[in-house]
Amino acid sequence: MKYFRLLIPILFFFSSLKAQTQADGQLWLDGEFNYTYKLRYLFQNEVSFKSLIFGEDRWVSFDMSPAFEYNINPYVDVVSGIPMSYTLQEEFNSFEVRAMLGTRVYLTPFRRPQFRVLLRFENRWNYEDEYHSWDVGNRVRIRGELIYPINKDIYNTDDLWYGITDAEVFLSTSSDVSERFANRTRFRIGAGYRLSYKLRFEALYVCQLSR
C-alpha cells in the first residue's frame, strides 16, 4: 500500500488542473505488431489513428512507428526506431519523421514492484504544407515507470493482473520547431492483464500537458 500512497499527490495535482486548463477529448486507436527472435531481439511496428473528438483546433493524425529493441541483459535494453506521422489540421497539415535511439533500464527486474526508466533521444524533421519547408530539431524524452503485479510476484508471467503508472517529460534541446507540441509532460495510470507472452490488455487514463 505504500506505493499506492504515492498516487495521492498525483490525484490532487490532476484535480487542481481543472481550474487552470481547458480540456478536450481525443480518440486513439493503436495496432501493434511484434516479432521476437531468440527472446533478445524485438522487431515492432505500431500503426495508430488519433483524432480530436471535442475541443478547439480540430485535427486528425495517422502514425506508423517501426522500431527495434535488443535485450543486453535483464537490466538494460537498447531501443531504436523511425516513427512517422501525418497530421491534418484546420489551418495547415504537417508531416513528421523522427530518428530515435535510447535505452530502457530495469532498476528492479526480479522484484515486486518493477521500476524502470526509458530514455530516448530524437532527431526530428517536421514539414508543414503552409510554409513548404522543413524544420529540424532535437528532443529528449525521459519516462519513469512503475509496474505492480497484483496476483503474482513477478511481472514476466502469464495470467497476470498488474497496475501501471508512469510519467514522461519531453524536452526540446534545440530551437523550437513550429509544430503542435514541442515540449510536453504526460502522466498515465491504469491496469492491465497479461494473458501470455504474446498478448496483453491495458486500460489507461492519460493526462497530457503541452506548452
Side-chain angles (χ1 to χ4, degrees):
M1 292 301 298
K2 64 180 180 180
Y3 300 105
F4 291 103
R5 294 192 191 108
L6 297 177
L7 299 178
I8 296 178
I10 298 177
L11 295 177
F12 277 109
F13 174 72
F14 288 160
S15 62
S16 66
L17 291 176
K18 295 181 180 180
Q20 305 172 20
T21 62
Q22 181 176 357
D24 58 26
Q26 301 178 15
L27 172 67
W28 292 16
L29 301 176
D30 296 289
E32 191 173 294
F33 307 92
N34 298 333
Y35 175 74
T36 304
Y37 179 69
K38 292 186 177 179
L39 299 180
R40 283 188 176 271
Y41 304 90
L42 173 64
F43 301 90
Q44 180 183 53
N45 188 24
E46 181 178 359
V47 180
S48 62
F49 167 83
K50 303 175 183 178
S51 177
L52 183 69
I53 302 302
F54 60 86
E56 298 181 355
D57 301 325
R58 294 294 300 275
W59 55 266
V60 176
S61 179
F62 303 91
D63 303 337
M64 184 173 68
S65 305
F68 169 76
E69 296 187 12
Y70 173 66
N71 177 244
I72 298 177
N73 55 48
Y75 293 91
V76 180
D77 290 343
V78 175
V79 299
S80 62
I82 308 178
M84 293 169 281
S85 176
Y86 183 73
T87 302
L88 295 87
Q89 296 177 269
E90 293 183 352
E91 298 181 356
F92 60 89
N93 302 330
S94 62
F95 176 70
E96 182 183 27
V97 180
R98 306 194 306 271
M100 179 270 292
L101 181 64
T103 181
R104 181 183 292 107
V105 179
Y106 299 85
L107 303 178
T108 57
F110 306 111
R111 295 183 182 180
R112 178 186 187 184
Q114 184 178 111
F115 294 94
R116 58 193 188 189
V117 177
L118 177 60
L119 174 63
R120 288 175 284 185
F121 177 81
E122 297 178 336
N123 193 247
R124 312 171 65 225
W125 295 269
N126 191 75
Y127 178 82
E128 294 184 357
D129 293 345
E130 182 182 15
Y131 303 105
H132 302 285
S133 62
W134 288 88
D135 285 335
V136 181
N138 301 318
R139 184 169 67 184
V140 174
R141 297 174 58 174
I142 305 172
R143 184 167 75 192
E145 302 175 341
L146 167 63
I147 297 178
Y148 190 87
I150 297 175
N151 60 327
K152 297 189 178 182
D153 294 333
I154 301 177
Y155 172 65
N156 297 321
T157 56
D158 297 339
D159 190 23
L160 170 72
W161 289 94
Y162 59 92
I164 181 172
T165 182
D166 59 48
E168 184 171 16
V169 178
F170 299 66
L171 299 173
S172 177
T173 57
S174 60
S175 59
D176 290 340
V177 181
S178 55
E179 44 84 41
R180 299 187 310 281
F181 309 117
N183 299 293
R184 64 179 65 166
T185 304
R186 180 184 297 167
F187 303 92
R188 303 189 308 166
I189 184 171
Y193 174 70
R194 173 177 164 140
L195 179 64
S196 65
Y197 179 78
K198 296 182 178 181
L199 184 63
R200 71 175 185 265
F201 306 90
E202 292 182 348
L204 299 169
Y205 172 79
V206 182
C207 178
Q208 182 166 275
L209 310 177
S210 303
R211 191 192 55 185

